[in-house]
Amino acid sequence: MSNPRTAALRDAGVSIWLDDLSRELIDSGRLAELIAESGVVGVTTNPTIFSAAIGGGRGYEAAIASCAERGLPPEAAAFELICADVADACDALAEAFAVSGGRDGRVSIEVSPALAHDVAGTVAQARDLWKRVDRPNAMIKIPATDAGLEAIAETIAAGISVNVTLVFGLTRYRQVINAYLTRLERARAAGLDLSAIHSVASVFVSRFDALIDPRLAEIGGDEAAALRSRAGLANARLAHEAADQGFRSERALLLAAAGANRQRPLWASTGTKDPALPDTLYVTGLVADGTVNTLPMATLSAFADHGEVAGDTVAGEYRESDQVLNALDGLGIDYAAVVEQLEAEALQKFEASWAELLASVGNALESSG
């Protein structure tokens, strides 16, 4: 690794995963360059990323022509293109996977949002995507809805590694931890190798501030101004505390003794939405050993250029984070209502992004035909 800033982040125990993937990124050698020079040891994907990549068309022409020739509908063609990209990215990260013992070198692929409330459908598609990508370092992304929690547990029990996504509130995060531990217990009872099962839980960060900061501006006053852009970090830090507590429980320690891996917190949505904020805010503010930060390309470039690491910026901030959320509540900003809105909006955005992806693929298929 040649970049000293990303090297410092790695040395602090933070795994750098890139929140981006495309055929062009793979074929141009840019992904390999980021792995070698910037310490990227994982990749996350979502429909928005692939919609932009496939809509741009660069590098997908032959694959789209093949899908059109075979008469594949847009969703089937989309998954074929995505699985090919994910498999190749897995190959690019195979060394990171081997060196880390399976903790890193991971590439996430997301189930369809149409299955967000369908347990059986989610589990079936998770199994299908795992089989189609056919790489041990793939990771299936499943949203943490009520149905998703059950589907996550069933998928993990089948020995498939899962990226639990769309985690916002602390109550939900504790449910995610419980689901993970429950299914590890069942996997152990079934005789599965627990050491081969890995999971991360994607806790979304910047969306808290994007929602709350405008409300604080409307409230006005010094107290409201002092709380701006602090909710996202506070919530993530308290999620880290919940993980620390959950994985120090007696049941978690028993599973660890049987070879189980701790489910790591993954900081998602770490690009700043407000241009007035420091562009590395959600990286420098969330440095903690045993975590993952998935960075959009612009955020990774910014951190590589001027990011700073000054030790752990999470564990010592638990009580101050409590105070931030309490102060917001005192101003009439209800935490539970914020979380509920963020969860609902996230699912809506997920569905809209998926529809946009299918439209992009559909247009590409028509143009190719």
Side-chain angles (χ1 to χ4, degrees):
M1 186 191 302
S2 59
N3 186 281
R5 298 181 186 277
T6 55
L9 193 60
R10 176 205 59 193
D11 292 344
V14 179
S15 293
I16 301 170
W17 291 11
L18 177 68
D19 193 28
D20 197 4
L21 186 62
S22 68
R23 176 51 45 185
E24 183 178 24
L25 191 68
I26 296 167
D27 289 348
S28 67
R30 178 61 174 151
L31 177 59
E33 180 183 312
L34 291 170
I35 292 168
E37 297 184 3
S38 297
V40 168
V41 290
V43 170
T44 52
T45 67
N46 60 52
T48 301
I49 288 170
F50 279 117
S51 178
I54 295 170
R58 293 181 296 275
Y60 292 99
E61 296 86 353
I64 288 172
S66 173
C67 290
E69 253 181 54
R70 288 175 285 145
L72 294 185
E75 183 166 89
F79 272 124
E80 183 162 316
L81 298 173
I82 291 169
C83 285
D85 282 3
V86 168
D88 285 351
C90 281
D91 291 342
L93 285 157
E95 182 178 352
F97 178 71
V99 168
S100 67
R103 280 166 54 87
D104 289 315
R106 297 285 180 172
V107 185
S108 297
I109 180 171
E110 200 150 10
V111 297
S112 165
L115 302 172
H117 303 292
D118 179 350
V119 176
T122 296
V123 173
Q125 189 169 87
R127 288 175 178 268
D128 178 61
L129 293 175
W130 182 259
K131 183 177 180 181
R132 288 173 66 177
V133 173
D134 194 26
R135 301 293 190 278
N137 50 332
M139 199 167 245
I140 308 301
K141 279 178 86 171
I142 301 176
T145 59
D146 288 331
L149 288 175
E150 187 175 343
I152 289 159
E154 292 295 333
T155 303
I156 289 170
I160 297 172
S161 295
V162 173
N163 177 342
V164 183
T165 190
L166 301 186
V167 179
F168 292 94
L170 299 175
T171 296
R172 178 68 81 192
Y173 187 36
R174 292 188 182 97
Q175 292 172 339
V176 168
I177 293 168
N178 180 64
Y180 180 64
L181 294 175
T182 297
R183 285 308 171 175
L184 283 178
E185 289 164 343
R186 297 190 185 182
R188 180 183 58 182
L192 293 176
D193 177 9
L194 299 189
S195 67
I197 300 172
H198 290 263
S199 179
V200 294
S202 295
V203 178
F204 282 61
V205 185
S206 67
R207 292 189 191 183
F208 272 87
D209 293 332
L211 177 62
I212 290 174
D213 281 2
R215 296 185 186 179
L216 291 171
E218 289 176 7
I219 292 169
D222 292 343
E223 185 178 2
L227 290 168
R228 292 195 66 181
S229 307
R230 296 180 67 191
L233 289 176
N235 187 70
R237 288 163 175 166
L238 291 174
H240 185 274
E241 181 182 34
D244 187 56
Q245 292 169 344
F247 289 102
R248 283 192 291 109
S249 66
E250 184 177 350
R251 65 190 295 222
L253 293 175
L254 286 171
L255 287 164
N261 298 291
R262 178 182 285 213
Q263 181 188 61
R264 289 184 293 168
L266 179 151
W267 312 128
S269 186
T270 56
T272 51
K273 306 290 191 289
D274 183 348
L277 294 175
D279 51 9
T280 62
L281 176 67
Y282 302 117
V283 185
T284 58
L286 292 172
V287 176
D289 187 25
T291 61
V292 179
N293 199 312
T294 179
L295 283 66
M297 189 72 77
T299 306
L300 176 60
S301 297
F303 193 86
D305 179 67
H306 53 265
E308 297 291 341
V309 175
D312 189 312
T313 55
V314 175
E317 305 296 326
Y318 293 157
R319 300 292 65 84
E320 182 179 334
S321 298
D322 272 330
Q323 292 170 12
V324 169
L325 297 189
N326 289 337
L328 289 168
D329 184 67
L331 290 176
I333 297 176
D334 182 70
Y335 177 79
V338 166
V339 168
E340 183 178 355
Q341 182 176 340
L342 286 171
E343 288 178 347
E345 289 179 351
L347 285 173
Q348 290 170 0
K349 289 175 182 176
F350 187 18
E351 291 167 359
S353 295
W354 187 252
E356 185 180 346
L357 169 62
L358 295 187
S360 294
V361 174
N363 291 335
L365 291 170
E366 286 181 16
S367 299
S368 179

